[in-house]
Amino acid sequence: MKIGISCYPTYGGSGVVASELALALAASGDEVHVISYALPSRLVQAHADPQQTRLHYHEVVVPHYPLFEYPPYSLALATKMVEVARHHDLDLLHVHYAVPNAVSGVLARSIVAPRPLPLVTTLHGTDITLVGNDPSYLETTRWGIAQSDAVTTVSESLKRSTHDTFDLETPITVVPNFIDPQRYLRFAESEGARRWASPGEKIIVHISNFRPVKRVHDVVEVFRRLLDQHEARLLLVGDGPERTRVEQRCRELGICHRISFIGNLPLVEEILVGADLFLLPSETESFGLAALEALSCKVPVIATDVGGLPEVVRHGETGYLLPKGDVEGMAQAASALLADDEGRGAMAEAARRDAIERFAYDHVVSRYRQVYTDVLAG
Ligand code: GMT
């Protein structure tokens, strides 16, 4: 098949999933054309590999003109989709994150008509729960979803939110996010997270885009409580709007010497391997790809029981789920786990086993392939 994939190139989960899907499809023989405004971070290595002849990248260039206070990215994106569909003879277009990718995809499909260009839209979370439901975007997002030939969500929870928010009849297929089990094995023997810690320190990791929805302040509050009982280090991976305020809070609490701000990392396994716990106290999370990546690296997860997280983390088996904002409860669960090396070890093994059983990429990619086969069959 010749598949066009459009996504955001940043470190967010939707771009990671789209990139990993592109890599998996290309590895199994499909020709994949990734369309975005910058090369997605997870594709940098593959893009430079001359052996990767089936993976192509097309940059959306948005011209600036003094009249435009807001240059129309959606139009430049639709135009690039048309160009790629025509010149590379695409069989279908798969867009990740509805805003504005689904709308640009519908427009591109109309422009290339009568030549068929089936459109698959994958909804990732904030495109429904935070951005797509904003009155400024709601009607166009609804239309983009309703006009797609197939719609998928990354969890049952997001499927429910989509139906509730948009009151749509459109059938939705749930295709969860996935991991490549080999990624952990490549780093399993490395020092991983231990590079940042002193001997004897327990290592807690949080990875996110530091947006308010991630509640990174709660990570710091939980960690501060842990320091009463444990020698520990917190590794904060990623970057975003909340970072300055989080750093300020660490200074107020006098615990900066126990916290390492790592910034963005393309390969999260490098820092998950060897960690003792992963914290994800989000306000909402349609899936929580970072939590799944932690589980696959044998790191138990303590998270909030919101959105799709209960579909990823098994409470009491691979981690613990607590109510949003319950930093006391999270600290108690984390502290008990840090004190129990044997129990934590068993949970770490269960975490990887469950991540592979339910979310290894081969099962999941074949579900996307089925969606493609169905839309192509009309
Ligand atoms: O979390 C974000 O703000 C980024 C966003 C994205 O599109 O990159 O993440 C969403 O998609 C991920 C991949 O499907 C999910 O794992 C995240 O749970 C989801 N984020 C939210 O729902 C807040």
Side-chain angles (χ1 to χ4, degrees):
M1 268 186 240
K2 292 185 179 181
I3 302 158
I5 290 188
S6 111
C7 65
Y8 282 98
T10 43
Y11 285 90
S14 61
V16 170
V17 172
S19 302
E20 293 288 348
L21 178 62
L23 289 169
L25 291 168
S28 59
D30 295 301
E31 185 177 306
V32 185
H33 294 265
V34 175
I35 303 170
S36 191
Y37 61 79
L39 182 64
S41 52
R42 285 270 172 120
L43 295 182
V44 171
Q45 215 180 347
H47 187 60
D49 179 355
Q51 310 289 330
Q52 273 283 6
T53 53
R54 290 191 291 268
L55 185 69
H56 307 272
Y57 165 61
H58 306 269
E59 189 148 314
V60 180
V61 177
V62 189
H64 285 258
Y65 183 68
L67 185 66
F68 298 151
E69 191 169 342
Y70 305 103
Y73 175 69
S74 347
L75 297 184
L77 174 61
T79 308
K80 185 57 77 179
M81 287 169 167
V82 169
E83 182 190 312
V84 175
R86 282 189 181 141
H87 300 307
H88 297 276
D89 204 17
L90 293 186
D91 293 309
L92 62 91
L93 194 56
H94 184 176
V95 303
H96 290 260
Y97 205 91
V99 185
N101 296 289
V103 175
S104 300
V106 175
L107 182 57
R109 187 185 60 191
S110 309
I111 295 171
V112 301
R115 178 206 184 289
L117 184 62
L119 175 67
V120 177
T121 295
T122 290
L123 307 174
H124 279 274
T126 47
D127 46 354
I128 301 303
T129 56
L130 281 181
V131 185
N133 63 356
D134 185 293
S136 298
Y137 295 120
L138 190 127
E139 285 305 335
T140 46
T141 307
R142 186 207 304 276
W143 187 77
I145 296 170
Q147 294 293 315
S148 299
D149 296 287
V151 178
T152 76
T153 57
V154 296
S155 62
E156 292 290 343
S157 155
L158 185 59
K159 176 176 173 172
R160 284 192 296 276
S161 305
T162 307
H163 281 307
D164 293 350
T165 309
F166 295 101
D167 192 21
L168 284 166
E169 304 279 300
T170 315
I172 293 178
T173 307
V174 175
V175 183
N177 290 335
F178 57 93
I179 41 102
D180 174 357
Q182 294 300 323
R183 277 190 177 272
Y184 162 78
L185 295 178
R186 269 177 233 139
F187 292 95
E189 301 306 320
S190 72
E191 272 197 290
R194 295 239 66 91
R195 284 171 297 166
W196 278 274
S198 309
E201 271 183 337
K202 298 281 193 247
I203 304 174
I204 324 298
V205 177
H206 167 78
I207 304 176
S208 77
N209 52 18
F210 283 58
R211 293 191 194 282
V213 70
K214 301 293 177 181
R215 296 181 70 102
V216 188
H217 284 271
D218 284 2
V219 174
V220 175
E221 292 305 325
V222 171
F223 181 66
R224 182 183 68 75
R225 287 163 173 76
L226 289 180
L227 287 177
D228 293 340
Q229 283 157 20
H230 303 272
E231 283 290 304
R233 171 152 298 274
L234 174 62
L235 306 183
L236 289 174
V237 182
D239 215 329
E242 289 289 288
R243 175 161 167 182
T244 310
R245 273 204 291 272
V246 170
E247 287 190 39
Q248 191 184 334
R249 183 68 184 142
C250 300
R251 283 192 290 273
E252 282 163 14
L253 294 170
I255 56 174
C256 292
H257 60 294
R258 294 286 190 175
I259 301 182
S260 304
F261 285 83
I262 313 284
N264 285 320
L265 271 184
L267 297 176
V268 289
E269 300 78 14
E270 279 188 277
I271 206 156
L272 287 169
V273 163
D276 294 292
L277 267 185
F278 186 81
L279 289 180
L280 194 62
S282 306
E283 176 96 25
T284 161
E285 203 67 69
S286 70
F287 184 90
L289 179 63
L292 175 60
E293 291 179 318
L295 297 172
S296 77
C297 291
K298 299 193 181 179
V299 185
V301 172
I302 293 188
T304 36
D305 56 0
V306 298
L309 279 167
E311 296 171 49
V312 180
V313 180
R314 291 196 194 273
H315 180 72
E317 289 174 40
T318 65
Y320 292 102
L321 295 168
L322 288 118
K324 179 181 72 183
D326 183 6
V327 288
E328 205 57 62
M330 288 185 226
Q332 278 171 19
S335 183
L337 209 49
L338 290 182
D340 176 10
D341 287 344
E342 204 179 312
R344 199 175 65 255
M347 198 171 247
E349 293 299 329
R352 178 159 168 85
R353 205 168 40 242
D354 189 48
I356 294 176
E357 257 169 42
R358 296 193 294 141
F359 302 110
Y361 76 99
D362 38 1
H363 321 311
V364 180
V365 172
S366 63
R367 288 162 75 173
Y368 275 124
R369 205 179 278 288
Q370 187 59 50
V371 172
Y372 298 163
T373 311
D374 292 346
V375 291
L376 288 173

